[in-house]
Amino acid sequence: MLLAPLVPGLIHGGSSVNPTAATLLINRSKAVVIDVRTAEEFAKGHLARSRNIVINQLPSDLETLKIAKNLPIILVCDSGTRSSSMIQKIKGAGYAEVFNLEGGIKAWNLAGLPLVK
């Protein structure tokens, strides 16, 4: 219960996670991070080990990455708006746990978390 304030989307069944909860999912549950921004945006800075799939290529390109359908997926964009629109489509493709990074890369930066260029 000490982690409850950090992971509101996980506990309440929501589809969003804040940067702290995303970090926990990545480190503890081997979550896969999919960045849906353009290649140019991705090159300016992205989460370590994230994969870039432009939003209009989802969910079809997920199949080419051979991501296990039981692994959590965290979708990332600049502010959280673009990525949140894809959650239901990816769930419809059979992926059980799909989350949106609340506030996107902007929130990640505000939390002081690192980006890779």
Side-chain angles (χ1 to χ4, degrees), residues 32-109:
V32 177
V33 179
I34 304 293
D35 192 316
V36 301
R37 298 176 300 152
T38 65
E40 294 80 22
E41 290 172 308
F42 185 79
K44 289 179 183 176
H46 55 274
L47 278 68
R49 296 188 313 259
S50 62
R51 299 171 185 182
N52 185 221
I53 300 178
V54 181
I55 196 163
N56 63 355
Q57 296 171 332
L58 282 172
S60 61
D61 277 6
L62 282 177
E63 297 297 327
T64 62
L65 294 178
K66 297 182 176 26
I67 297 170
K69 295 202 175 192
N70 64 333
L71 286 177
I73 294 176
I74 301 171
L75 299 175
V76 178
C77 69
D78 194 47
S79 66
T81 304
R82 284 180 278 180
S83 51
S84 68
S85 69
M86 295 306 298
I87 291 173
Q88 292 309 315
K89 286 185 180 182
I90 295 173
K91 283 184 176 182
Y95 295 88
E97 294 183 89
V98 183
F99 303 96
N100 181 49
L101 178 62
E102 290 175 2
I105 292 292
K106 289 178 181 177
W108 191 266
N109 275 330

